[in-house]
Amino acid sequence: MSELSPLAVTLVSGLRHVGKSTVATILSGTAADDNPGPPLGSDEADAGELALELAEHLVDLADSGRRGDVIIELEPADPAEIALVLESVFKERTTSDGPALRELITVARANDIRRLLFRDGPEAAADDCDTSELLAVQLEFATAIILTGVADCRPTELRAIYGLIERLNPAAAVVTLAGAIRLRRRRPPSLTVASEVGRRMGWALELSGRGGLPTTLNSINTVVFRDPRPFHPARLAEVVTHCLEPDDVGLILRSRGLARLASRPERVASWTSAGTVLAINSTAMTSWDADSPVGQELVFVGQHLHPERIARALRAALLGDDELIAGPMEWAGYVDPFPVWQIEHDH
């Protein structure tokens, strides 16, 4: 594949004020006043709609004869959703000179990782819940991570940050701002970049048995929990609230996976936590889908985690033998304190 074909797209993600514009300038190889353009997106913008608009714009650029590299700086947004939509649209083009993704780059500040994921610093602000999840996704869904502000961290803190990144995204290149130039044209553009990143996220590798990392890395370790039984929703809420604290099980930094609630037997749930907040939301997977898990498939990433304590706490929330035999009609009457799922139906 030549350097001028196809149009090669690099997305630069990150929270606000982390230096994304500087990175975009370095990657584009232009002077500051020739920067690729203002950041795209906003707090109110829907990531899917933004991605479709961006895809149409990039396709139009390619149709008009534009070749070479395009660097897109994103305002805080879910890079996974945007990249996967772009890839899907790009794949619809059969010509060899259409647009394709080259890199998915996340710019992250070390102190933000410490504050939002390690809970190190002042008590979390009200908006830190969504920000913690967004930062975790940005670290997970990237081909390369540029870590800024490393001079502000002690060596032990920095080692723990690198250990966490290695667990979340073992395939990503990790460089400091001084090394960002090495990411220019590091890899050829491809129509499968986003899909490959999705398959190589740390939690997905752990569930597939392909994690391959030492048990503990720079004080960071992982715990995989599996069980075919569904959770009792009220007991799970108690466990989440009272039994997964750092003093009890170690510091949980990130958890992801698929879960089943007995009170909602028709759908598979997405389990995701970052920092202090856990969300259990519906997925598009129904219980009868061939790929649906029978029960719980969860991965916990943290600092000095105690696997046996985590497993013991979660097992206490599972249905017992008598409850399991009682069946879904009985389960429907269980107290369920979790938020109601907004199910999107296909038409």
Side-chain angles (χ1 to χ4, degrees), residues 296-310:
Q296 321 304 334
E297 295 188 350
L298 305 175
V299 177
F300 295 83
V301 182
Q303 193 168 33
H304 306 303
L305 295 181
H306 298 281
E308 69 288 348
R309 297 182 188 177
I310 291 176

Side-chain angles (χ1 to χ4, degrees), residues 228-233 260-266 319-336:
R229 293 171 292 172
F231 285 123
H232 187 296
R260 305 296 289 270
L261 296 180
S263 53
R264 311 181 192 194
E266 71 284 352
L319 294 191
D321 292 344
D322 292 344
E323 293 171 322
L324 197 60
I325 292 171
M329 292 186 66
E330 181 72 19
W331 305 344
Y334 289 165
V335 173
D336 186 338

